[in-house]
Amino acid sequence: MTKDVEQPQERFEDMPILDELKNSYLNYAMSVIVARALPDARDGLKPSQRRILVAMNDLNLGPRSSHRKCAKIVGDTSGNYHPHGDQATYGTLVRLGQDWNMRYTLVDPQGNFGSIDADPPAAMRYTEARMAAPAMEMLQDLNYETVDFIPNYDETRMEPVVLPSRFPNLLVNGSTGIAVGMATNIPPHNLKEICDALLLVINDPKCGFKDIMKVLPGPDFPTGGIICGKKGIVDAYTTGRGHLKVRAKTEVETDKRGRQRIVVTEIPYTVVKTSIVSKIAECVHSGTIPEISDVRDESDRHGLRIVVELKKDADPEIVLNKLYRYTSLQTTFAIANIALVNNQPETLNIREMLQCFIDHRRNVIRRRSRFLLRRCRNRAHILEGLILAVTDIDEIIDIIKKSPDAPTAKLNLMNKPLRLAEVATLHKLLPAEFVKAKSQGDHFLTGPQADAILTMQLQRLTGLEIEKLAKEYAGLVEQIEGYEAILSNESVLLDIIREDLHEMKEKHGDRRRTQIAGAVETLDIEDLIADEDVIVTVSHIGYIKRMPTDTYRRQGRGGRGIIGSDTKEGDFIKHLFIASTHDYLLVFTNRGKCYWLRVYDVPAMSRQSKGRSIANLLNLGSQQIASIIAVSSFEDEEGSPERQLVMATQNGVVKKTRLSAYGNPRSNGVIAINLDPNDALIGVAQTTGGNHIILGTRDGMTIRFDEQEVRSMGRASRGVRGINLRGGDTVVGMVIVEEKSALFTVCENGYGKRTGIENYKAQSRGGLGLKNIKTSDRNGKVVALKAVQSEDDLMLITANGMIIRTGLDEIRSIGRNTQGVRLINLKEGDKLVAAEKIAAEDLEDEAEGEGSS
């Protein structure tokens, strides 16, 4: 019968499941934080990266060795140190050799290691690698007991906890990693600047962040680019966290055809190049950036080059702003300087990161010095015995010959009293203290010294070899004194660190790649819109749109015109004016309210389109638009006269208010003027305080008066009487008198006239006025008054949507009380409803545009 095997005793313990889950998760989280995701603050490596370098060091894959298959490196790493999947290990190895990810690569690759286009690397059986020079600096002195070693995963060998790292890897190459509940994202830096910062901290331990930033201005990415502003850098350096706005480096070129193109030569860090090209193409196809005609990638082995071809007359600055907003040519790099300090994750500022490396190097040099001091002392101890023995070599040989075996010979040697012989050569070569000590009294060999004598070769008995022993001993004495000085004198130790840093600068330093420029504001939509003049039209029932000013060609007086808008049945264009796309639109309604709108918010549409309902842009309700004023800003320039808004109502009331009072309207509008129940606002104009005002009525009456007669009032006031109306007449227009201008009057039947302003004598405000035009059956009632120059053009709009553009130089100036001339041939049942001038400077801009085309 087989003997029953004793079963182990099972133990059950009751505990809350929430506590067990919490403790287990915390243990898992700490394991991920310490053993996988976060770098050590001393050497800047994660365990996987460190183990790869150690495995390559075991294979002697230095910068001067031959490349070895990556499969071999990965296999040794996984088998000896890192018991995880080979694909994860290979991915880590590949990244250490990618110069667009690492500022200073630690692996020298051979073969396809991927590309900045996110192309995957070739399989590890095809690629080869060896360590780059900076990696060798990190492994230097590893065998001198400079760092602690722990057993590997199966306890078959030892692996270092951290590398000695003469190379400041964490600071120059940075790190990125996602742990449980935290993530690190440390940017790379320039080695020369980091070395200068380390030297500064060593030389001046009390230096501040401002002092450090003088030698270390900011991160230096391997892909170059431009860091916009220093605030994010200051935040990251002082607190360990910050956000950098990084832009691509671009330049504008002009091709042989005279067309401009934007060339991208450097891109932000961690951005995939192909994603930029595809995103630009997507923006072009979707109409987001219509100014681009073509985009192509011309990158080659000489460098990165993305070419963005622009259409004719496209503004490169506007296109660049759009590219920054809609593509990854501008990105935000979030800095989180989290690293392991004593196996605990900490958020470090730049001073703490520099100090961590200095402290690590101080500890490494101390441990190396102790190791070398111990080795030198042991060797010197052996040499002391050899030197004593060779001075009395005949008796030493006799003792060995007469001894029956090696142990006895060792004991006999140890019992033999020895004294340094009076040899002049030895006394000259050996240190004086040694000669003095060993020349007096008897000295006995120790066990190690006796063993060394027993193993000594006969050739060491020659005179030349004896001198070599003496010289070696003298050299060891000097080394021992040097190591003792390092361990006892802090300044000597710091001198070694300084010397190492200067050597790093000379061997591996290079120029800065990333430019640090001034801060840029957050891109507003205004930065994405070209600053150009456009025509804005608003229809009677509230459809608004904007069009280029060259949409309508200039025609002769009396022409038929072209269709200016595909209006709905019963609708017609009521307002038309010229404004810049960056202007503000103050929209005044017939009920005396003011709304705020940007010109670029007005939809850009073709000449034939009807536009978009203004109800989608402004909350007007049942109100109708009385006037729209375009202004570039609300604040007056220093030294310039204060700008005013003058308003007129159909009942002849006028009011003047400062423009700045309308600079902060609400979404539901603000009160512009208090109106009587039966009154309505018909016009608003901008003045500078010293102008004359002309009011024109439907029945052809006008009055001219100085605006000084209208005092400036508050925004919600009523106003004063401007003209005394008779027989149910109403005011249809208001004009601000300009120097050398003329008053152009338009009647509903297509007739009008131009009369010099000097024909309208100034009167007192509130009078009956003078006759301006005969409102006969031929002319019809007055619909518009405009102050014009002979160089201006005129836009005429009919109720059926017909528009004609004509030059005023074709219309001669005639007297005040006349009927005028035909301006447009109207179709039966159609009438003129509005008129708008195009100023001479706008015509000059158009002429330049036609000439360049």
Side-chain angles (χ1 to χ4, degrees), residues 292-318:
I292 296 176
S293 62
D294 186 26
V295 58
R296 59 184 180 274
D297 185 1
E298 296 182 355
S299 304
D300 54 22
R301 60 189 179 90
H302 298 294
L304 184 144
R305 181 180 171 89
I306 300 174
V307 178
V308 180
E309 298 282 357
L310 304 183
K311 293 180 179 178
K312 182 181 176 182
D313 299 329
D315 187 343
E317 286 298 322
I318 297 297

PDB file of all heavy atoms in Angstrom, residues 292-318:
ATOM      1  N   ILE A 292      -5.914  76.768 -51.276  1.00  0.00           N
ATOM      2  CA  ILE A 292      -4.851  75.841 -51.659  1.00  0.00           C
ATOM      3  C   ILE A 292      -5.231  75.135 -52.949  1.00  0.00           C
ATOM      4  O   ILE A 292      -6.343  74.612 -53.084  1.00  0.00           O
ATOM      5  CB  ILE A 292      -4.609  74.811 -50.529  1.00  0.00           C
ATOM      6  CG1 ILE A 292      -4.089  75.525 -49.271  1.00  0.00           C
ATOM      7  CG2 ILE A 292      -3.632  73.736 -50.976  1.00  0.00           C
ATOM      8  CD1 ILE A 292      -3.912  74.614 -48.088  1.00  0.00           C
ATOM      9  N   SER A 293      -4.283  75.082 -53.895  1.00  0.00           N
ATOM     10  CA  SER A 293      -4.540  74.402 -55.164  1.00  0.00           C
ATOM     11  C   SER A 293      -3.947  72.996 -55.196  1.00  0.00           C
ATOM     12  O   SER A 293      -4.443  72.131 -55.907  1.00  0.00           O
ATOM     13  CB  SER A 293      -3.957  75.224 -56.323  1.00  0.00           C
ATOM     14  OG  SER A 293      -2.543  75.357 -56.193  1.00  0.00           O
ATOM     15  N   ASP A 294      -2.886  72.772 -54.411  1.00  0.00           N
ATOM     16  CA  ASP A 294      -2.259  71.442 -54.434  1.00  0.00           C
ATOM     17  C   ASP A 294      -1.381  71.305 -53.203  1.00  0.00           C
ATOM     18  O   ASP A 294      -0.882  72.302 -52.655  1.00  0.00           O
ATOM     19  CB  ASP A 294      -1.424  71.271 -55.707  1.00  0.00           C
ATOM     20  CG  ASP A 294      -0.873  69.854 -55.857  1.00  0.00           C
ATOM     21  OD1 ASP A 294      -1.515  68.928 -55.300  1.00  0.00           O
ATOM     22  OD2 ASP A 294       0.168  69.674 -56.508  1.00  0.00           O
ATOM     23  N   VAL A 295      -1.181  70.068 -52.753  1.00  0.00           N
ATOM     24  CA  VAL A 295      -0.269  69.760 -51.658  1.00  0.00           C
ATOM     25  C   VAL A 295       0.450  68.468 -52.009  1.00  0.00           C
ATOM     26  O   VAL A 295      -0.162  67.518 -52.502  1.00  0.00           O
ATOM     27  CB  VAL A 295      -1.015  69.641 -50.309  1.00  0.00           C
ATOM     28  CG1 VAL A 295      -2.101  68.582 -50.364  1.00  0.00           C
ATOM     29  CG2 VAL A 295      -0.035  69.333 -49.181  1.00  0.00           C
ATOM     30  N   ARG A 296       1.748  68.451 -51.772  1.00  0.00           N
ATOM     31  CA  ARG A 296       2.519  67.240 -52.084  1.00  0.00           C
ATOM     32  C   ARG A 296       3.698  67.119 -51.112  1.00  0.00           C
ATOM     33  O   ARG A 296       4.191  68.120 -50.586  1.00  0.00           O
ATOM     34  CB  ARG A 296       3.022  67.267 -53.534  1.00  0.00           C
ATOM     35  CG  ARG A 296       3.896  68.441 -53.896  1.00  0.00           C
ATOM     36  CD  ARG A 296       4.276  68.440 -55.370  1.00  0.00           C
ATOM     37  NE  ARG A 296       5.111  69.575 -55.712  1.00  0.00           N
ATOM     38  CZ  ARG A 296       4.636  70.772 -56.045  1.00  0.00           C
ATOM     39  NH1 ARG A 296       3.323  70.975 -56.085  1.00  0.00           N
ATOM     40  NH2 ARG A 296       5.472  71.759 -56.337  1.00  0.00           N
ATOM     41  N   ASP A 297       4.120  65.897 -50.936  1.00  0.00           N
ATOM     42  CA  ASP A 297       5.235  65.590 -50.052  1.00  0.00           C
ATOM     43  C   ASP A 297       6.490  65.385 -50.895  1.00  0.00           C
ATOM     44  O   ASP A 297       6.579  64.425 -51.665  1.00  0.00           O
ATOM     45  CB  ASP A 297       4.909  64.337 -49.227  1.00  0.00           C
ATOM     46  CG  ASP A 297       5.979  64.029 -48.198  1.00  0.00           C
ATOM     47  OD1 ASP A 297       6.952  64.788 -48.110  1.00  0.00           O
ATOM     48  OD2 ASP A 297       5.830  63.023 -47.479  1.00  0.00           O
ATOM     49  N   GLU A 298       7.450  66.291 -50.761  1.00  0.00           N
ATOM     50  CA  GLU A 298       8.696  66.206 -51.513  1.00  0.00           C
ATOM     51  C   GLU A 298       9.866  65.811 -50.618  1.00  0.00           C
ATOM     52  O   GLU A 298      11.027  66.067 -50.937  1.00  0.00           O
ATOM     53  CB  GLU A 298       8.996  67.545 -52.194  1.00  0.00           C
ATOM     54  CG  GLU A 298       7.966  67.939 -53.248  1.00  0.00           C
ATOM     55  CD  GLU A 298       8.321  69.239 -53.948  1.00  0.00           C
ATOM     56  OE1 GLU A 298       9.325  69.873 -53.543  1.00  0.00           O
ATOM     57  OE2 GLU A 298       7.614  69.624 -54.909  1.00  0.00           O
ATOM     58  N   SER A 299       9.588  65.184 -49.481  1.00  0.00           N
ATOM     59  CA  SER A 299      10.645  64.792 -48.547  1.00  0.00           C
ATOM     60  C   SER A 299      11.523  63.709 -49.173  1.00  0.00           C
ATOM     61  O   SER A 299      11.045  62.853 -49.929  1.00  0.00           O
ATOM     62  CB  SER A 299      10.036  64.289 -47.245  1.00  0.00           C
ATOM     63  OG  SER A 299       9.184  65.251 -46.673  1.00  0.00           O
ATOM     64  N   ASP A 300      12.812  63.763 -48.846  1.00  0.00           N
ATOM     65  CA  ASP A 300      13.747  62.731 -49.297  1.00  0.00           C
ATOM     66  C   ASP A 300      14.794  62.545 -48.212  1.00  0.00           C
ATOM     67  O   ASP A 300      14.644  63.031 -47.082  1.00  0.00           O
ATOM     68  CB  ASP A 300      14.387  63.108 -50.636  1.00  0.00           C
ATOM     69  CG  ASP A 300      15.051  64.481 -50.609  1.00  0.00           C
ATOM     70  OD1 ASP A 300      15.387  64.943 -49.495  1.00  0.00           O
ATOM     71  OD2 ASP A 300      15.223  65.091 -51.672  1.00  0.00           O
ATOM     72  N   ARG A 301      15.862  61.846 -48.547  1.00  0.00           N
ATOM     73  CA  ARG A 301      16.882  61.560 -47.548  1.00  0.00           C
ATOM     74  C   ARG A 301      17.629  62.815 -47.105  1.00  0.00           C
ATOM     75  O   ARG A 301      18.358  62.781 -46.108  1.00  0.00           O
ATOM     76  CB  ARG A 301      17.879  60.532 -48.090  1.00  0.00           C
ATOM     77  CG  ARG A 301      18.614  60.964 -49.348  1.00  0.00           C
ATOM     78  CD  ARG A 301      19.404  59.818 -49.951  1.00  0.00           C
ATOM     79  NE  ARG A 301      20.110  60.200 -51.172  1.00  0.00           N
ATOM     80  CZ  ARG A 301      21.336  60.682 -51.189  1.00  0.00           C
ATOM     81  NH1 ARG A 301      21.987  60.843 -50.051  1.00  0.00           N
ATOM     82  NH2 ARG A 301      21.918  60.995 -52.332  1.00  0.00           N
ATOM     83  N   HIS A 302      17.479  63.909 -47.837  1.00  0.00           N
ATOM     84  CA  HIS A 302      18.149  65.148 -47.474  1.00  0.00           C
ATOM     85  C   HIS A 302      17.349  65.957 -46.457  1.00  0.00           C
ATOM     86  O   HIS A 302      17.878  66.888 -45.861  1.00  0.00           O
ATOM     87  CB  HIS A 302      18.399  66.003 -48.716  1.00  0.00           C
ATOM     88  CG  HIS A 302      19.289  65.343 -49.722  1.00  0.00           C
ATOM     89  ND1 HIS A 302      20.615  65.064 -49.471  1.00  0.00           N
ATOM     90  CD2 HIS A 302      19.034  64.875 -50.977  1.00  0.00           C
ATOM     91  CE1 HIS A 302      21.148  64.465 -50.520  1.00  0.00           C
ATOM     92  NE2 HIS A 302      20.210  64.343 -51.455  1.00  0.00           N
ATOM     93  N   GLY A 303      16.078  65.651 -46.273  1.00  0.00           N
ATOM     94  CA  GLY A 303      15.288  66.385 -45.299  1.00  0.00           C
ATOM     95  C   GLY A 303      13.812  66.385 -45.612  1.00  0.00           C
ATOM     96  O   GLY A 303      13.361  65.892 -46.649  1.00  0.00           O
ATOM     97  N   LEU A 304      13.056  66.946 -44.685  1.00  0.00           N
ATOM     98  CA  LEU A 304      11.603  66.996 -44.814  1.00  0.00           C
ATOM     99  C   LEU A 304      11.202  68.208 -45.649  1.00  0.00           C
ATOM    100  O   LEU A 304      11.761  69.295 -45.501  1.00  0.00           O
ATOM    101  CB  LEU A 304      10.980  67.064 -43.420  1.00  0.00           C
ATOM    102  CG  LEU A 304       9.453  67.040 -43.318  1.00  0.00           C
ATOM    103  CD1 LEU A 304       9.029  66.262 -42.070  1.00  0.00           C
ATOM    104  CD2 LEU A 304       8.883  68.452 -43.246  1.00  0.00           C
ATOM    105  N   ARG A 305      10.194  68.032 -46.510  1.00  0.00           N
ATOM    106  CA  ARG A 305       9.712  69.127 -47.361  1.00  0.00           C
ATOM    107  C   ARG A 305       8.289  68.820 -47.802  1.00  0.00           C
ATOM    108  O   ARG A 305       8.056  67.907 -48.593  1.00  0.00           O
ATOM    109  CB  ARG A 305      10.624  69.324 -48.567  1.00  0.00           C
ATOM    110  CG  ARG A 305      10.199  70.470 -49.498  1.00  0.00           C
ATOM    111  CD  ARG A 305      11.166  70.590 -50.668  1.00  0.00           C
ATOM    112  NE  ARG A 305      10.689  71.521 -51.675  1.00  0.00           N
ATOM    113  CZ  ARG A 305      10.941  72.824 -51.689  1.00  0.00           C
ATOM    114  NH1 ARG A 305      11.661  73.344 -50.706  1.00  0.00           N
ATOM    115  NH2 ARG A 305      10.485  73.609 -52.658  1.00  0.00           N
ATOM    116  N   ILE A 306       7.347  69.585 -47.268  1.00  0.00           N
ATOM    117  CA  ILE A 306       5.947  69.507 -47.678  1.00  0.00           C
ATOM    118  C   ILE A 306       5.618  70.814 -48.403  1.00  0.00           C
ATOM    119  O   ILE A 306       5.802  71.902 -47.852  1.00  0.00           O
ATOM    120  CB  ILE A 306       5.011  69.322 -46.475  1.00  0.00           C
ATOM    121  CG1 ILE A 306       5.353  68.035 -45.721  1.00  0.00           C
ATOM    122  CG2 ILE A 306       3.555  69.300 -46.926  1.00  0.00           C
ATOM    123  CD1 ILE A 306       4.577  67.859 -44.435  1.00  0.00           C
ATOM    124  N   VAL A 307       5.145  70.716 -49.635  1.00  0.00           N
ATOM    125  CA  VAL A 307       4.872  71.895 -50.458  1.00  0.00           C
ATOM    126  C   VAL A 307       3.363  72.097 -50.561  1.00  0.00           C
ATOM    127  O   VAL A 307       2.635  71.177 -50.948  1.00  0.00           O
ATOM    128  CB  VAL A 307       5.487  71.757 -51.863  1.00  0.00           C
ATOM    129  CG1 VAL A 307       5.158  72.969 -52.709  1.00  0.00           C
ATOM    130  CG2 VAL A 307       6.994  71.566 -51.752  1.00  0.00           C
ATOM    131  N   VAL A 308       2.905  73.281 -50.210  1.00  0.00           N
ATOM    132  CA  VAL A 308       1.493  73.651 -50.296  1.00  0.00           C
ATOM    133  C   VAL A 308       1.369  74.745 -51.344  1.00  0.00           C
ATOM    134  O   VAL A 308       1.779  75.891 -51.119  1.00  0.00           O
ATOM    135  CB  VAL A 308       0.949  74.134 -48.941  1.00  0.00           C
ATOM    136  CG1 VAL A 308      -0.527  74.511 -49.062  1.00  0.00           C
ATOM    137  CG2 VAL A 308       1.147  73.077 -47.860  1.00  0.00           C
ATOM    138  N   GLU A 309       0.843  74.402 -52.501  1.00  0.00           N
ATOM    139  CA  GLU A 309       0.668  75.370 -53.588  1.00  0.00           C
ATOM    140  C   GLU A 309      -0.574  76.212 -53.334  1.00  0.00           C
ATOM    141  O   GLU A 309      -1.641  75.680 -52.995  1.00  0.00           O
ATOM    142  CB  GLU A 309       0.534  74.640 -54.930  1.00  0.00           C
ATOM    143  CG  GLU A 309       1.759  73.817 -55.331  1.00  0.00           C
ATOM    144  CD  GLU A 309       2.878  74.686 -55.883  1.00  0.00           C
ATOM    145  OE1 GLU A 309       2.661  75.912 -56.005  1.00  0.00           O
ATOM    146  OE2 GLU A 309       3.950  74.137 -56.186  1.00  0.00           O
ATOM    147  N   LEU A 310      -0.452  77.532 -53.522  1.00  0.00           N
ATOM    148  CA  LEU A 310      -1.558  78.454 -53.282  1.00  0.00           C
ATOM    149  C   LEU A 310      -2.163  78.920 -54.598  1.00  0.00           C
ATOM    150  O   LEU A 310      -1.476  79.002 -55.626  1.00  0.00           O
ATOM    151  CB  LEU A 310      -1.083  79.667 -52.485  1.00  0.00           C
ATOM    152  CG  LEU A 310      -0.394  79.387 -51.144  1.00  0.00           C
ATOM    153  CD1 LEU A 310      -0.065  80.706 -50.457  1.00  0.00           C
ATOM    154  CD2 LEU A 310      -1.268  78.526 -50.249  1.00  0.00           C
ATOM    155  N   LYS A 311      -3.433  79.217 -54.548  1.00  0.00           N
ATOM    156  CA  LYS A 311      -4.105  79.772 -55.710  1.00  0.00           C
ATOM    157  C   LYS A 311      -3.676  81.226 -55.904  1.00  0.00           C
ATOM    158  O   LYS A 311      -3.095  81.854 -55.021  1.00  0.00           O
ATOM    159  CB  LYS A 311      -5.623  79.686 -55.537  1.00  0.00           C
ATOM    160  CG  LYS A 311      -6.166  78.267 -55.544  1.00  0.00           C
ATOM    161  CD  LYS A 311      -7.674  78.258 -55.380  1.00  0.00           C
ATOM    162  CE  LYS A 311      -8.238  76.850 -55.397  1.00  0.00           C
ATOM    163  NZ  LYS A 311      -9.702  76.826 -55.190  1.00  0.00           N
ATOM    164  N   LYS A 312      -3.993  81.732 -57.068  1.00  0.00           N
ATOM    165  CA  LYS A 312      -3.649  83.107 -57.396  1.00  0.00           C
ATOM    166  C   LYS A 312      -4.315  84.075 -56.421  1.00  0.00           C
ATOM    167  O   LYS A 312      -5.484  83.915 -56.058  1.00  0.00           O
ATOM    168  CB  LYS A 312      -4.106  83.408 -58.826  1.00  0.00           C
ATOM    169  CG  LYS A 312      -3.762  84.800 -59.310  1.00  0.00           C
ATOM    170  CD  LYS A 312      -4.284  85.005 -60.716  1.00  0.00           C
ATOM    171  CE  LYS A 312      -4.023  86.425 -61.185  1.00  0.00           C
ATOM    172  NZ  LYS A 312      -4.562  86.667 -62.529  1.00  0.00           N
ATOM    173  N   ASP A 313      -3.541  85.072 -55.974  1.00  0.00           N
ATOM    174  CA  ASP A 313      -4.010  86.139 -55.080  1.00  0.00           C
ATOM    175  C   ASP A 313      -4.319  85.636 -53.672  1.00  0.00           C
ATOM    176  O   ASP A 313      -4.882  86.386 -52.858  1.00  0.00           O
ATOM    177  CB  ASP A 313      -5.254  86.850 -55.653  1.00  0.00           C
ATOM    178  CG  ASP A 313      -4.963  87.512 -56.980  1.00  0.00           C
ATOM    179  OD1 ASP A 313      -3.814  87.934 -57.182  1.00  0.00           O
ATOM    180  OD2 ASP A 313      -5.903  87.605 -57.801  1.00  0.00           O
ATOM    181  N   ALA A 314      -3.978  84.393 -53.330  1.00  0.00           N
ATOM    182  CA  ALA A 314      -4.188  83.907 -51.970  1.00  0.00           C
ATOM    183  C   ALA A 314      -3.161  84.539 -51.036  1.00  0.00           C
ATOM    184  O   ALA A 314      -2.000  84.725 -51.402  1.00  0.00           O
ATOM    185  CB  ALA A 314      -4.086  82.385 -51.915  1.00  0.00           C
ATOM    186  N   ASP A 315      -3.587  84.877 -49.827  1.00  0.00           N
ATOM    187  CA  ASP A 315      -2.710  85.487 -48.833  1.00  0.00           C
ATOM    188  C   ASP A 315      -2.021  84.381 -48.040  1.00  0.00           C
ATOM    189  O   ASP A 315      -2.675  83.620 -47.323  1.00  0.00           O
ATOM    190  CB  ASP A 315      -3.528  86.386 -47.907  1.00  0.00           C
ATOM    191  CG  ASP A 315      -2.643  87.184 -46.959  1.00  0.00           C
ATOM    192  OD1 ASP A 315      -1.462  86.825 -46.794  1.00  0.00           O
ATOM    193  OD2 ASP A 315      -3.138  88.161 -46.369  1.00  0.00           O
ATOM    194  N   PRO A 316      -0.683  84.245 -48.130  1.00  0.00           N
ATOM    195  CA  PRO A 316       0.000  83.157 -47.417  1.00  0.00           C
ATOM    196  C   PRO A 316      -0.207  83.201 -45.907  1.00  0.00           C
ATOM    197  O   PRO A 316      -0.297  82.165 -45.258  1.00  0.00           O
ATOM    198  CB  PRO A 316       1.476  83.379 -47.784  1.00  0.00           C
ATOM    199  CG  PRO A 316       1.459  84.158 -49.049  1.00  0.00           C
ATOM    200  CD  PRO A 316       0.245  85.020 -48.969  1.00  0.00           C
ATOM    201  N   GLU A 317      -0.295  84.427 -45.324  1.00  0.00           N
ATOM    202  CA  GLU A 317      -0.472  84.525 -43.878  1.00  0.00           C
ATOM    203  C   GLU A 317      -1.822  83.955 -43.454  1.00  0.00           C
ATOM    204  O   GLU A 317      -1.926  83.250 -42.453  1.00  0.00           O
ATOM    205  CB  GLU A 317      -0.356  85.989 -43.441  1.00  0.00           C
ATOM    206  CG  GLU A 317       1.059  86.530 -43.456  1.00  0.00           C
ATOM    207  CD  GLU A 317       1.962  85.779 -42.487  1.00  0.00           C
ATOM    208  OE1 GLU A 317       1.497  85.428 -41.395  1.00  0.00           O
ATOM    209  OE2 GLU A 317       3.128  85.534 -42.837  1.00  0.00           O
ATOM    210  N   ILE A 318      -2.857  84.248 -44.222  1.00  0.00           N
ATOM    211  CA  ILE A 318      -4.183  83.725 -43.909  1.00  0.00           C
ATOM    212  C   ILE A 318      -4.191  82.206 -44.041  1.00  0.00           C
ATOM    213  O   ILE A 318      -4.724  81.483 -43.188  1.00  0.00           O
ATOM    214  CB  ILE A 318      -5.243  84.357 -44.832  1.00  0.00           C
ATOM    215  CG1 ILE A 318      -5.321  85.876 -44.601  1.00  0.00           C
ATOM    216  CG2 ILE A 318      -6.603  83.714 -44.602  1.00  0.00           C
ATOM    217  CD1 ILE A 318      -5.764  86.272 -43.221  1.00  0.00           C
TER     218      ILE A 318
END
